[in-house]
Amino acid sequence: MRAVTVIPGVADSLALDENYPEPAAEEGAVLVEAVAVGICGTDHEIIAGHYGEAPPGERRLVIGHESLGRVLEDPTGALQPGDLVAGVVRHPDPVPCTNCAVGEWDMCRNGRYTEHGIKALPGFARERWRVRPTFAVPLDPALSDVGVLLEPTSVVAKAWDHIERIGHRAEWQPQSVLVTGAGPIGLLAALLASQRGLSVHVLDLATDGPKPELVHALGATYHSVPVNDLDFEPDVVVECTGAPTVVLDVMCKAAPTGIVCLAGVSSGGRTIDFDAGALNRALVLENNVVFGSVNANRRHWELAAEALARADRHWLSTLISRRLPVSRYQEAYQPGPDDIKVVLDFAV
Ligand SMILES: [Zn+2]
């Protein structure tokens, strides 16, 4: 069968393997036929050779951690043939740590977790894959065109879950949310904010292209000004750019008792002249919280599936800016100027 693979650590080793072996029975009882695979920044980093790890004893890694597929067989009876599913990316570490032991592998403490298409587990960019029922999340059958957005949605569902847990440390009635960065993660974070009935603001550098329209369609306000020029103090910030100045600016901009969730990964290596004492003073005197959030556990994947089922399908489909057949994988993995989410289509 066909699979898109890379040699981790070797730049531009991306290739389409026409004779990749069928998934091994040990991978799990649920056999799934791939429908689509989404592409994100992590894939680009793996292709550039900066990231990624092949399964033990193998040289190549099947890429792809954003999946959508149809169940072909599940002898356990948990799922039925034809069910639409996505595969959970991260698996718990083998120790396991205190968090992995209770199914909170998104909070793994020893770093020995594995991840499909990223770290020591084959990815989903292959025609058929297998998972255990615990790692297969069912989706509403109506989401066959957009269900590939479940993985990025799971990441923001986790972010919102933790924002709410932190918020309830005291009386909490948030009104406004600022999302920085209008890529797929930012837009999906804004979707989940709008589903919570909050006043949603999205800030991004783009002044044209599809982003402003997508934000307006959520009933949210689009800003393409510096954070410091905003005329309100957000109760919640979901920072999705990872841009160092934006990260610092939103920490200073949040309202008293505000919560800043950092969900964007910075590359590091740049230094900024910054008054850390003033930031500390503001955080302490205003009871503010800044926290990081990554990945998702099964509960978040299920929350994400509910959020997608409630969302406007047309809006979700607009997030998918390009859809290419597997045969055109090279184009698909080449970033384009107006890309939001690019999807590799296995159904054609
Ligand atoms: Zn762990």
Side-chain angles (χ1 to χ4, degrees):
M1 65 175 187
R2 292 180 300 170
V4 184
T5 67
V6 291
I7 304 172
V10 178
D12 304 321
S13 58
L14 189 73
L16 181 62
D17 187 340
E18 300 277 351
N19 296 300
Y20 194 82
E22 291 290 328
E26 308 87 79
E27 291 181 44
V30 187
L31 178 64
V32 179
E33 177 180 50
V35 171
V37 165
I39 297 171
C40 82
T42 302
D43 297 306
H44 294 131
E45 282 184 54
I46 294 171
I47 293 166
H50 300 321
Y51 206 63
E53 180 187 328
E58 289 177 37
R59 189 160 165 261
R60 301 198 75 96
L61 169 73
V62 177
I63 205 165
H65 56 279
E66 301 183 3
S67 64
L68 181 69
R70 261 185 213 290
V71 173
L72 289 171
E73 58 177 46
D74 177 11
T76 73
L79 293 155
Q80 299 305 312
D83 281 357
L84 203 58
V85 291
V88 170
V89 178
R90 189 179 286 190
H91 287 217
D93 79 75
V95 175
C97 74
T98 45
N99 291 66
C100 286
V102 296
E104 293 193 347
W105 50 72
D106 56 315
M107 302 293 283
C108 182
R109 287 171 55 92
N110 65 23
R112 292 179 61 191
Y113 57 82
T114 52
E115 290 178 334
H116 283 286
I118 302 172
K119 189 171 182 277
L121 285 179
F124 299 112
R126 45 182 170 155
E127 285 181 289
R128 283 170 292 285
W129 39 270
R130 282 184 175 275
V131 282
R132 304 209 314 262
T134 4
F135 297 106
V137 182
L139 285 114
D140 188 315
L143 293 170
S144 58
D145 287 342
V146 291
V148 72
L149 296 170
L150 189 61
E151 194 277 342
T153 309
S154 75
V155 170
V156 296
K158 185 250 179 100
W160 273 107
D161 175 46
H162 284 211
I163 289 165
E164 284 163 350
R165 283 161 187 256
I166 294 166
H168 290 297
R169 68 197 157 139
E171 178 61 23
W172 192 54
Q173 293 182 19
Q175 312 279 315
S176 61
V177 182
L178 171 65
V179 176
T180 46
I185 293 286
L187 289 165
L188 290 166
L191 168 70
L192 267 61
S194 72
Q195 289 182 343
R196 284 160 168 79
L198 298 164
S199 165
V200 185
H201 298 260
V202 179
L203 182 143
D204 191 279
L205 290 173
T207 50
D208 52 16
K211 291 175 177 178
E213 190 67 24
L214 278 161
V215 169
H216 294 146
L218 288 176
T221 310
Y222 189 84
H223 305 268
S224 52
V225 297
V227 172
N228 291 326
D229 290 358
L230 295 173
D231 62 358
F232 70 102
E233 293 186 334
D235 297 317
V236 174
V237 178
V238 186
E239 204 300 303
C240 305
T241 70
T245 51
V246 178
V247 170
L248 293 171
D249 286 349
V250 295
M251 287 185 203
C252 299
K253 191 71 180 175
T257 77
I259 300 171
V260 177
C261 172
L262 303 180
V265 182
S266 312
S267 48
R270 278 176 56 204
T271 54
I272 294 176
D273 194 21
F274 182 74
D275 186 346
L279 174 63
N280 175 71
R281 186 183 167 83
L283 294 178
V284 172
L285 296 180
E286 295 188 343
N287 286 292
N288 285 16
V289 175
V290 178
F291 78 103
S293 180
V294 73
N295 206 264
N297 65 44
R298 167 107 200 176
R299 192 166 49 83
H300 303 129
W301 283 78
E302 288 169 353
L303 289 170
E306 287 168 27
L308 286 188
R310 275 206 308 277
D312 180 82
R313 301 270 143 70
H314 174 72
W315 187 87
L316 292 172
S317 69
T318 316
L319 288 192
I320 301 176
S321 41
R322 287 194 292 146
R323 231 181 247 276
L324 291 149
V326 181
S327 57
R328 291 169 65 189
Y329 73 100
Q330 281 171 314
E331 266 173 82
Y333 283 97
Q334 195 66 48
D338 283 328
D339 283 347
I340 297 176
K341 176 59 69 187
V342 179
V343 165
L344 207 52
D345 199 336
F346 278 81
V348 290

